[in-house]
Every structure is written in C-alpha cells, then in structure tokens.
Amino acid sequence: MKDTALKSPRYIINPDVVLREEDEDGGLLFNPDTNQIRVLNHTGLFVWKLCDGAHDAPTIANAFCDVYEDVPEDQVGAQVKVFIDEMVANGFIGVAEEPSA
C-alpha cells in the first residue's frame, strides 16, 4: 500500500548555484541559469546550507532556533518558509524528489 500521508517537502540547493562566503557577514549566491545574484546575511546562509535534500522547513526552523537562541520561536517557522519559498521561486533552491517506493 502506498503511503498517502502528506509529507513536508524537503529542499535542495540548486547544484548550478555558486556560493562565495564573506567571512561572518554571510555570502553571495550566483545563479548562472538566470544570471541572478542574491546577497545573504549569515542567517540566510545558515538556512540555505540546510537545504541539502534531507531537511524540510520545520526541521530547518528548529535547527535555526537551536543555534540562534534569542529569536522569537513562534515567528521563525513562518519566516524560514517565506525565505525558502522566495529562494525556490528564484531557482536558488529546489524541492527534493521523494525516493520512489
């Protein structure tokens, strides 16, 4: 029987995107497919790096709260989701495919 339960999508970095880290300030992303450049602060870079195909948005938000202790936990999940959705819309991140059963 096929599992029909809804699962949260897992996100994965576009392998074509180039990252240049800028010390503690964050990083610079370049998407050669669209010629878009995106500047990330250190928190955006933290979230982007967790888009490794193994994490969904709630898991990333929980990891964010573990590292950044002074953040309002009730708002982090929504803000992480908005960030990820924007990164997906601009091709910096994709949605990982679930392995077939």
Side-chain angles (χ1 to χ4, degrees), residues 2-47:
K2 195 170 189 176
D3 182 10
T4 57
L6 292 177
K7 296 180 180 176
S8 295
R10 299 179 190 285
Y11 298 97
I12 189 162
I13 293 169
N14 178 345
D16 294 332
V17 171
V18 178
L19 165 67
R20 186 176 85 191
E21 291 193 53
E22 301 287 335
D23 297 327
E24 299 171 4
D25 295 331
L28 184 71
L29 300 177
F30 172 66
N31 185 343
D33 296 333
T34 61
N35 285 327
Q36 287 186 311
I37 295 173
R38 176 73 192 259
V39 178
L40 299 179
N41 61 20
H42 65 281
T43 57
L45 184 59
F46 177 84
V47 171

Side-chain angles (χ1 to χ4, degrees), residues 48-89:
W48 190 78
K49 285 183 173 180
L50 284 178
C51 295
D52 58 2
H55 297 94
D56 59 11
T59 305
I60 293 171
N62 287 338
F64 190 94
C65 290
D66 288 343
V67 172
Y68 298 96
E69 296 175 353
D70 294 337
V71 295
E73 292 184 26
D74 59 331
Q75 299 174 19
V76 169
Q79 292 177 355
V80 165
K81 185 71 172 102
V82 167
F83 175 80
I84 289 173
D85 287 347
E86 188 269 332
M87 296 297 280
V88 169

